[in-house]
Amino acid sequence: VKPGEKIPADGEVVDGETSVNEAMLTGESKPVSKKAGAKVIGGSINGEGSITVEVKKTGKDSFLSQVIELVKEAQESKSKTQDLANRAALWLTIIALTVGSITLFIWLVVMNKDFAFALERTVTVMVITCPHALGLAVPLVVAVSTAISAKNGLLIRNRAAFEKARNIQAIIFDKTGTLTQGKFGVTDIVTFTSDCKEEEIMKYAASVETHSEHPIAKGIVSSSKETFSVEGFRAIPGKGAQANVNSKNVKVVSPGYLREQNIPVTDERVEKLFSQGKTVVFVMIDGKLCGAIALADIIRPESKKAISMLKQMGIKCMMLTGDNKQVAKWVSEEIGLDEYFAEVLPQEKVTKVKEVQSRGLVVAMTGDGVNDAPALAQADVGIAIGAGTDVAVETADIILVRSNPLDAMAIIGLARATYRKMVQNLAWATGYNAFAIPLAAGVLYKSGILLSPAMGAVLMSLSTVIVAINARFLRVVK
């Protein structure tokens, strides 16, 4: 696939490196970088590099086809508010026929007017009460909200659950991959001497670790912008690694190595890092302990904002994790959660969701949709986050294409906005009829105001147009 070309089908990059614009499919505005092993979506646009892609999915299995199928399902799935509107439209039809008959009777028999005049009033009543606006009040909003959500990578599988999302009182997040990136990275750097700067410690450590395959080493290397050239790299089995960097002997070692060598560390900052459940390694330059580097599963930059916005909406924010209590406490304090459950096994997640529901709260569960499947099914609203190209997550009611907690906030906001629009449209349609029916029947006849059937048709059309325009003003807030 050459630069600027559309990727023809879902697949995997086997060769080359590029950035791909997936905005049309996922709503992600920034181009996403792709290298060998990365998945690409058919229909997205290749950026500056040439790549070779192995096709993995075609036809109905492709991401785009599944999105289309989900949108179709969402638009076909019955809305509870739609049932209400349908019942209201039925009653309005009965009212139209009844009021029409009464109008004919009153003008003909009571008011003693001629049949043509009475019939004109009756036809005006029938035309003006045609339940167009009421019948369209909900379907128009449903269609607009489904289209908006799909454009923004928020896919609704279950319409009833989406409508229930406006009442959510508590949201439970799975930690790894949802609130955090699910990969090791540097969170803190501590210096022990004034002549060692943080950037310097980081560069020296990353230089040594470029030659190591250990996950901690990879985390340090990925967090450093540049490295020095290295000579004489040697692993210290189970304890770290050492090498000569800029004519200095640099060691990146574990706390166990320091204990073995009887090197004491009495810094409160390091104790705090250990208490947060972080992995800490120490950097020694020419035999002198210069600093410490703490690593942990990196918290997503948008998590804190998402939690803050959800709390502003009056929603309790909680977290489920299989990690130990120290890690859970650190993540919870860092992003401002109301509550967390640590050391929870996948099969115990359902129990925790039930526990929160037993407090009388309407609960949403967000997770990756695989090991969280039973919990997603148990929750009042199941939200699968980061489904990516694997869209068909059977247990979730709502699927968020990107692994972005802000999208969970966006879908709840959209559910609330959608309901408001439905209520506005229903109120307008009902209010219009309550005002227009007596007018059409001729209650202001003595004041010289009389509506013709043509004028009735104009007013009826106008009410429908207003309902349609109001539905188009629906927006997703991010």
Side-chain angles (χ1 to χ4, degrees):
V1 182
K2 290 175 187 160
E5 284 185 346
K6 260 192 190 171
I7 289 164
D10 292 14
E12 197 173 290
V13 178
V14 283
D15 184 38
E17 201 171 322
T18 188
S19 59
V20 173
N21 183 348
E22 296 179 346
M24 198 179 78
L25 303 154
T26 66
E28 178 63 71
S29 53
K30 283 191 217 149
V32 183
S33 101
K34 306 279 181 186
K35 46 189 169 189
K39 287 184 168 57
V40 287
I41 308 170
S44 54
I45 296 161
N46 185 21
E48 70 287 347
S50 276
I51 48 169
T52 307
V53 176
E54 184 185 340
V55 174
K56 294 283 186 185
K57 291 177 182 174
T58 55
K60 63 179 173 50
D61 297 327
S62 72
F63 173 81
L64 203 54
S65 295
Q66 289 180 350
V67 171
I68 292 163
E69 194 54 42
L70 286 170
V71 170
K72 202 166 136 201
E73 264 179 51
Q75 288 185 329
E76 284 171 2
S77 65
K78 267 289 173 85
S79 157
K80 284 184 181 173
T81 325
Q82 178 62 53
D83 293 340
L84 170 72
N86 288 346
R87 280 202 302 277
L90 173 68
W91 279 106
L92 188 60
T93 307
I94 295 164
I95 289 165
L97 293 169
T98 309
V99 173
S101 306
I102 293 168
T103 303
L104 184 69
F105 177 78
I106 287 172
W107 284 112
L108 205 58
V109 179
V110 180
M111 304 298 288
N112 212 15
K113 289 281 179 184
D114 63 77
F115 181 72
F117 182 87
L119 186 64
E120 195 177 326
R121 299 289 67 73
T122 305
V123 170
T124 308
V125 167
M126 299 286 197
V127 169
I128 221 160
T129 51
C130 179
H132 271 178
L134 202 54
L136 289 171
V138 176
L140 278 172
V141 178
V142 168
V144 171
S145 75
T146 309
I148 286 174
S149 60
K151 265 185 205 164
N152 286 278
L154 320 169
L155 307 175
I156 303 161
R157 283 190 70 237
N158 183 336
R159 190 85 219 167
F162 170 68
E163 284 179 19
K164 205 187 276 180
R166 71 190 163 85
N167 298 320
I168 286 169
Q169 295 162 302
I171 184 163
I172 304 171
F173 288 96
D174 178 47
K175 179 185 82 78
T176 310
T178 304
L179 293 173
T180 66
Q181 292 179 5
K183 62 181 181 187
F184 240 30
V186 172
T187 58
D188 308 82
I189 302 166
V190 176
T191 58
F192 298 140
T193 56
S194 56
D195 56 336
C196 287
K197 292 188 173 65
E198 283 188 8
E199 305 87 57
E200 198 180 349
I201 289 171
M202 193 66 205
K203 271 192 220 169
Y204 276 118
S207 304
V208 173
E209 299 290 27
T210 45
H211 295 269
S212 173
E213 287 300 310
H214 195 280
I216 291 174
K218 286 181 176 174
I220 292 172
V221 173
S222 66
S223 302
S224 177
K225 289 185 178 122
E226 54 181 303
T227 57
F228 300 119
S229 58
V230 173
E231 289 172 358
F233 172 84
R234 190 160 59 85
I236 306 168
K239 299 287 188 300
Q242 65 174 345
N244 293 322
V245 183
N246 286 354
S247 306
K248 293 176 183 176
N249 179 256
V250 181
K251 288 189 180 86
V252 181
V253 292
S254 68
Y257 178 85
L258 296 187
R259 280 194 295 271
E260 250 180 36
Q261 303 293 319
N262 294 318
I263 301 168
V265 179
T266 53
D267 196 297
E268 281 181 13
R269 294 170 296 172
V270 175
E271 292 305 315
K272 190 184 173 191
L273 296 173
F274 279 124
S275 73
Q276 290 171 345
K278 294 179 182 177
T279 302
V280 181
V281 294
F282 296 90
V283 181
M284 295 175 74
I285 300 175
D286 288 335
K288 182 175 145 192
L289 192 60
C290 282
I293 296 171
L295 298 99
D297 185 0
I298 301 170
I299 294 170
R300 290 185 180 280
E302 55 272 15
S303 293
K304 198 169 184 176
K305 189 182 174 188
I307 299 302
S308 160
M309 290 174 88
L310 285 163
K311 283 167 114 177
Q312 281 171 23
M313 291 163 86
I315 297 166
K316 274 183 174 296
C317 299
M318 305 173 187
M319 177 180 76
L320 275 179
T321 179
D323 266 342
N324 61 49
K325 281 181 182 159
Q326 292 97 315
V327 172
K329 186 171 184 276
W330 169 66
V331 172
S332 175
E333 286 172 355
E334 203 69 22
I335 60 178
L337 293 167
D338 294 302
E339 209 176 320
Y340 63 87
F341 305 98
E343 294 167 13
V344 181
L345 297 169
Q347 61 270 29
E348 292 170 350
K349 288 184 179 180
V350 182
T351 318
K352 294 295 176 191
V353 172
K354 283 180 182 170
E355 190 185 305
V356 178
Q357 284 173 324
S358 68
R359 300 179 202 172
L361 298 170
V362 178
V363 178
M365 169 73 195
T366 66
D368 59 19
V370 183
N371 66 338
D372 302 312
L376 287 169
Q378 174 61 39
D380 297 288
V381 181
I383 303 171
I385 281 198
T389 50
D390 187 19
V391 178
V393 182
E394 292 305 317
T395 43
D397 302 307
I398 295 161
I399 296 159
L400 309 181
V401 174
R402 288 166 302 202
S403 304
N404 187 341
L406 279 168
D407 283 354
M409 184 277 303
I411 199 81
I412 295 169
L414 182 64
R416 290 181 177 185
T418 300
Y419 185 74
R420 275 197 305 275
K421 284 289 175 203
M422 285 179 179
V423 170
Q424 284 168 13
N425 277 359
L426 287 171
W428 163 258
T430 313
Y432 152 79
N433 281 302
F435 168 76
I437 292 171
L439 199 63
V443 290
L444 296 177
Y445 174 63
K446 284 188 176 170
S447 307
I449 298 170
L450 208 58
L451 293 181
S452 67
M455 196 61 204
V458 169
L459 287 175
M460 182 268 290
S461 304
L462 188 64
S463 75
T464 310
V465 169
I466 289 169
V467 162
I469 290 169
N470 189 39
R472 294 296 302 170
F473 278 116
L474 188 64
R475 291 285 176 271
V476 62
V477 179
K478 288 193 171 185

